[in-house]
Amino acid sequence: MELHWKIYLERQGTGERVTVCAVRRRVEGATIADFGLSLAEGRQLLAALQQRVAQDQIRAYDALRRPCRHCGRYRRIKDWRTRIFATALGKVAVKVPTVISCLCTPEPLDDNDDSTHLRFSECSVQPLFPARRTPEVKCLCAKYGSSVSYTCRGFAAT
Ligand SMILES: [Zn+2]
């Protein structure tokens, strides 16, 4: 016999649930090592939770910034790209959209003032993470850097 647990994440108001992780434990023949979550499982759970929360935030932030600032029309997505951000709980890989400029804005011109037939595109969530790391990571790096001697830092870099 085994016990099974599934940990879900649900953003309030959406009714959408996504599975964060699943845990299984045997009951018969269980040892002390089978009780609770292991360190590796705890890290895995936090990483999965961090990734899903961050991805959901990016979708919400994009939806807020997607309407054209001039006419209000919803701008199209050119593509989704993977970006890695450093957080205090580790690196998190998320998909971020690249949005094409609205048709109400003039097309870019080349050196001869001819239309390049290329529309501007921008990453709508770029202003959120200009350095691709959270302020908490920045603070932790500064704190760690100030507590380690120069010799030790030099050793760690090699
Ligand atoms: Zn527009």
Side-chain angles (χ1 to χ4, degrees):
M1 182 188 168
E2 275 192 331
L3 297 174
H4 299 233
W5 295 274
K6 275 193 174 179
I7 299 169
Y8 298 100
L9 179 67
E10 178 181 327
R11 181 172 18 134
Q12 200 169 8
T14 63
E16 296 172 22
R17 285 190 338 177
V18 292
T19 304
V20 176
C21 79
V23 179
R24 292 173 176 240
R25 286 292 183 271
R26 61 185 169 173
V27 176
E28 290 179 27
T31 66
I32 189 69
D34 295 316
F35 288 97
L37 296 177
S38 68
L39 183 60
E41 288 169 329
R43 286 182 176 157
Q44 213 171 22
L45 171 64
L46 274 178
L49 185 61
Q50 181 76 316
Q51 197 281 330
R52 281 160 183 78
V53 167
Q55 187 66 66
D56 200 27
Q57 284 179 298
I58 283 174
R59 280 199 194 95
Y61 190 79
D62 170 61
L64 196 66
R65 293 183 45 93
R66 189 88 69 75
C68 173
R69 287 175 218 113
H70 305 288
C71 71
R73 273 188 279 185
Y74 217 55
R75 297 178 295 160
R76 292 184 301 131
I77 290 180
K78 180 181 173 189
D79 57 23
W80 288 83
R81 297 178 184 181
T82 301
R83 293 284 182 265
I84 296 174
F85 296 100
T87 72
L89 298 176
K91 290 180 180 176
V92 61
V94 290
K95 296 276 186 190
V96 298
T98 303
V99 178
I100 300 173
S101 65
C102 183
L103 294 173
C104 78
T105 55
E107 290 183 23
L109 303 176
D110 62 14
D111 293 339
N112 301 321
D113 287 341
D114 293 325
S115 173
T116 60
H117 302 290
L118 295 171
R119 304 223 51 97
F120 290 117
S121 61
E122 66 176 7
C123 178
S124 60
V125 298
Q126 184 66 31
L128 195 58
F129 292 107
R132 292 195 189 180
R133 64 181 181 173
T134 61
E136 196 176 12
V137 169
K138 197 174 177 180
C139 182
L140 286 171
C141 287
K143 197 173 181 180
Y144 176 74
S146 66
S147 68
V148 179
S149 73
Y150 177 78
T151 312
C152 189
R153 273 187 267 164
F155 178 74
T158 55

